[in-house]
Amino acid sequence: MIDLAALRKDPATFRKAWGDRGASVDVDALLAQDTQVRELKTRTESLKAELNAASKAIGPLAKAGGAALDEAKAKARALGDQAKALDAEREAAEKALSDALLYLPNPCLAEVPVGKDAADNRVAAVWGDEPQFAFKPKAHWDLAPALGIMDFERGAKLAGSGFVTLRGAGARLSRALVSWFLDCHLANGYTEWAVPYLVTPQIMQGTGQLPKFGDQLYRCKDDDLLLVPTAEVPVTNLHAGEILDGATLPLKYCAHTPCFRREAGAAGVGTRGMTRVHQFDKVEMVWFTTAERSRADLETMRGHAEALLKGLGLRHRVLQLCTGDTGFSSACTFDLEVWSPGTGTWLEVSSCSSFTDFQSRRAAIRARGADGKPQLIHTLNGSGLALPRCLIAVLETWQQADGSVIVPPVLRPYLGGMERICK
RNA sequence: GGAAGCGUGGCAGAGUGGUCUAAUGCACCGGUUUUGAAAACCGGCGUGCCCUAACGGGUACCGUGAGUUCGAAUCUCACCGCUUCCGCCA
């Protein structure tokens, strides 16, 4: 959520920022709504002040009774009715305004390149040369089933298309990646959390998934709970409604969770094999930091994600997303894309973003600074990393002519020393 | 799933219809005293929003929501959470 007071003060900046994002926002209507709400608030509150004074005056009269008491009560009742009516009006206006605010995206940082869509994203860095093979490298959807470590048909049998099963060394390799990722984060000072995979609608609103993107979420209707699309949701909301001790910032958390996404409308686009599925595992990094250091912290966090790809020996690149491609809640995003030799494409395995105070305002996450006053903090998060596409890249990059796959050295301790996955 | 009890400020804990902007204690901050510290004493000490150039004023919040009343932490109802017991169960 944006800062309404800031919008009031400098509407031009917001107008431009939303325009750059391709969002059409009627700023004048918002400002008019805001003025109306504040006016109603002032009137309602002064009426309530009158009512409170009138009620207070009844106390001493109550014992005596008589006409004076009845008269005072009647007067207070009339005031009360008036206040109630006005308050209802105020509440409706306030709700309309706050509902509108929930649909407005976070303005991007000034440094974010202006652009329309993914085609305008800027390649910030490329790591590693394109791996060379003495044979034609296979795509994972051929390679992995042949090794008996991935089974698409059985996944579809259980839950429909978009669900995959891993078998034997495939399942174990996936678990190894998760463990190694988490251990790397712990070494970097992160605190690991295990969190619920189902959350309430209010929690989804805190990080920005609701109300606008509900069609992408799986919902348990009987219980009014939703399956998390990313650990960002439960982990960021761990501190919802809290006032943290500023001296403890930045807090660096990580968590491994499955992620559930309906991918409504994405059918057919890059969905072959395991590249886009409804359920996948991911390790997520989440930071709670200050406005002063959030931008620098984003670099640090992105470095942590990149180090994982380097450790696995996977060619990858870093994209700075343009305004038009930056996610709703984010002010600045870097995507990490890993090279898939089997398909000759880049696959997104991480998205590292600064949400500035957009999420903390929605979720009411504050910290007490040196001056003792509570202030909204900044939240960051980044994948570190998403499993399926890492698995794809590992298999395709480390595949051998005979169809076997060399296990990257860093993962071997997690696989009982296994050096090669064979049929 | 059933029953009972309980949800008050950072913590502990009073308050059961009117001066509650919530007693008291602890913690915390400032000051006095002290060579320094402790102790003692004095003062301060929640959050959001609205009005104001500012000083300041107002309003809301005692798990959440609704209700009764001129007036609710206090009464009523629903919901949520915690604790204990029972049932079921990885």
Side-chain angles (χ1 to χ4, degrees):
Chain A
M1 200 155 57
I2 59 126
D3 179 4
L4 196 50
L7 174 71
R8 206 180 289 146
K9 209 166 151 190
D10 183 12
T13 297
F14 283 86
R15 223 180 246 120
K16 172 166 188 324
W18 283 324
D20 288 345
R21 266 181 167 277
S24 62
V25 179
D26 189 341
V27 174
D28 291 328
L30 273 179
L31 290 172
Q33 228 173 334
D34 170 50
T35 305
Q36 188 209 4
V37 165
R38 283 184 297 138
E39 199 183 303
L40 280 169
K41 209 171 241 177
T42 306
R43 280 168 57 203
T44 304
E45 285 181 2
S46 70
L47 250 182
K48 280 186 181 170
E50 256 187 89
L51 170 63
N52 287 344
S55 292
K56 215 169 200 174
I58 289 176
L61 292 175
K63 280 214 173 87
L69 176 63
D70 292 339
E71 194 184 318
K73 276 195 182 183
K75 187 186 155 206
R77 190 178 295 126
L79 269 172
D81 290 344
Q82 217 180 326
K84 210 170 181 177
L86 199 59
D87 201 38
E89 201 181 327
R90 173 206 57 86
E91 200 180 349
E94 214 168 345
K95 184 169 187 314
L97 178 58
S98 62
D99 284 354
L101 286 176
L102 288 174
Y103 283 88
L104 304 179
N106 197 4
C108 288
L109 301 184
E111 72 180 86
V112 176
V114 175
K116 194 160 164 283
D117 52 35
D120 295 324
N121 292 338
R122 184 179 292 166
V123 178
V126 180
W127 185 89
D129 296 322
E130 190 171 341
Q132 300 300 314
F133 297 87
F135 56 95
K136 188 174 186 306
K138 290 181 186 163
H140 73 281
W141 53 74
D142 292 325
L143 182 66
L147 280 168
I149 62 172
M150 201 178 280
D151 187 332
F152 299 104
E153 285 76 17
R154 291 199 169 95
K157 173 162 72 182
L158 297 175
S161 76
F163 291 89
V164 182
T165 58
L166 295 173
R167 175 179 176 273
R172 199 175 182 191
L173 182 60
S174 174
R175 182 159 53 87
L177 283 164
V178 169
S179 296
W180 181 65
F181 289 167
L182 286 169
D183 286 348
C184 289
H185 297 320
L186 298 191
N188 283 324
Y190 287 75
T191 301
E192 182 178 352
W193 286 81
V195 293
Y197 307 152
L198 285 164
V199 298
T200 63
Q202 178 172 356
I203 292 304
M204 286 291 184
Q205 183 173 296
T207 28
Q209 281 72 23
L210 286 181
K212 206 175 174 188
F213 306 101
D215 61 344
Q216 294 300 331
L217 302 170
Y218 286 102
R219 183 184 288 269
C220 300
K221 288 202 170 69
D222 288 345
D223 301 287
D224 205 17
L225 291 170
L226 302 108
L227 281 160
V228 298
T230 158
E232 161 195 351
V233 176
V235 176
T236 304
N237 280 288
L238 283 170
H239 293 304
E242 296 184 10
I243 301 175
L244 304 165
D245 175 0
T248 64
L249 300 181
L251 295 172
K252 293 150 65 183
Y253 293 166
C254 64
H256 161 231
T257 70
C259 303
F260 303 91
R261 300 184 181 181
R262 294 187 63 233
E263 301 291 353
V269 186
T271 54
R272 181 132 188 231
M274 209 186 186
T275 42
R276 186 179 294 273
V277 285
H278 292 306
Q279 178 191 319
F280 61 95
D281 284 84
K282 181 160 63 65
V283 174
E284 188 77 3
M285 304 174 283
V286 176
W287 289 51
F288 299 82
T289 189
T290 63
E292 290 72 33
R293 50 178 296 166
S294 67
R295 184 59 188 83
D297 286 342
L298 177 59
E299 292 300 315
T300 304
M301 188 183 67
R302 192 190 89 196
H304 291 157
E306 263 192 279
L308 301 175
L309 293 171
K310 290 174 184 167
L312 292 169
L314 299 177
R315 181 186 189 224
H316 62 275
R317 65 179 186 177
V318 181
L319 294 183
Q320 174 162 37
L321 299 198
C322 72
T323 52
D325 202 32
T326 298
F328 177 77
S329 302
S330 173
C332 181
T333 297
F334 292 91
D335 276 3
L336 266 51
E337 295 188 330
V338 73
W339 179 250
S340 158
T343 63
T345 57
W346 296 99
L347 301 175
E348 181 189 334
V349 286
S350 178
S351 199
C352 298
S353 303
S354 168
F355 300 88
T356 59
D357 60 10
F358 188 82
Q359 292 183 325
S360 61
R361 185 172 289 106
R362 284 177 166 241
I365 308 171
R366 292 170 293 170
R368 212 176 285 282
D371 63 351
K373 293 272 170 241
Q375 270 205 313
L376 291 171
I377 54 106
H378 277 202
T379 56
L380 313 177
N381 69 58
S383 335
L385 301 160
L387 263 291
R389 293 173 187 170
C390 284
L391 200 59
I392 289 169
V394 165
L395 294 172
E396 293 184 1
T397 301
W398 291 79
Q399 64 180 300
Q400 305 300 305
D402 63 358
S404 67
V405 172
I406 300 283
V407 175
V410 294
L411 297 181
R412 289 176 194 168
Y414 298 87
L415 288 162
M418 189 191 297
E419 293 178 5
R420 186 190 280 255
I421 299 172
C422 303
K423 191 170 166 68

